[in-house]
Amino acid sequence: IDPISGFAPMEWQSYVGPVIVYRPGGLDFTISDIDATNEFLSQLLDRFGDGPGFDPREWLNPDFFQRFLRRLKNNREFNGLGSSLNHLTILRDEGE
């Protein structure tokens, strides 16, 4: 993804086929993790449309990602969809 435009190279803009997701240390990466990561990336890419004032570096750090995951989980629980993230292994405990 180009950090200025938010666009992927042309060869990545349509069906790219199967992908392998790797998590360092061989830890599980559950379907809930993939769901939450996809939601994060979708919202990040949508923000590029907000104009030239958007700086993706504000989003691309572990603390922001953890806050995003907590908000996503809270929003889904509030809307009765909390079970969709029951197996979220990438969310750290508050004290970590």
Side-chain angles (χ1 to χ4, degrees), residues 33-55:
D33 295 330
I34 292 171
D35 177 21
T37 301
N38 183 64
E39 187 70 30
F40 175 79
L41 294 173
S42 294
Q43 290 190 31
L44 171 65
L45 293 175
D46 285 348
R47 292 293 311 273
F48 278 96
D50 291 349
F54 174 64
D55 183 358

Side-chain angles (χ1 to χ4, degrees), residues 4-90:
I4 304 300
S5 70
F7 286 103
M10 287 303 294
E11 62 270 20
W12 288 92
Q13 290 191 20
S14 62
Y15 183 75
V16 296
V19 297
I20 295 174
V21 178
Y22 170 77
R23 188 169 177 194
L27 299 172
D28 288 341
F29 198 73
T30 66
I31 192 71
S32 294
D33 295 330
I34 292 171
D35 177 21
T37 301
N38 183 64
E39 187 70 30
F40 175 79
L41 294 173
S42 294
Q43 290 190 31
L44 171 65
L45 293 175
D46 285 348
R47 292 293 311 273
F48 278 96
D50 291 349
F54 174 64
D55 183 358
R57 292 174 294 188
E58 295 174 12
W59 279 54
L60 298 175
N61 66 73
D63 291 332
F64 187 93
F65 185 60
Q66 289 299 308
R67 288 192 307 273
F68 177 88
L69 293 174
R70 282 190 191 84
R71 281 193 310 269
L72 178 64
K73 190 167 195 237
N74 290 340
N75 287 342
R76 288 194 179 175
E77 286 171 353
F78 179 78
N79 290 307
L81 302 170
S83 63
S84 67
L85 294 179
N86 276 352
H87 302 289
L88 195 64
T89 65
I90 56 177

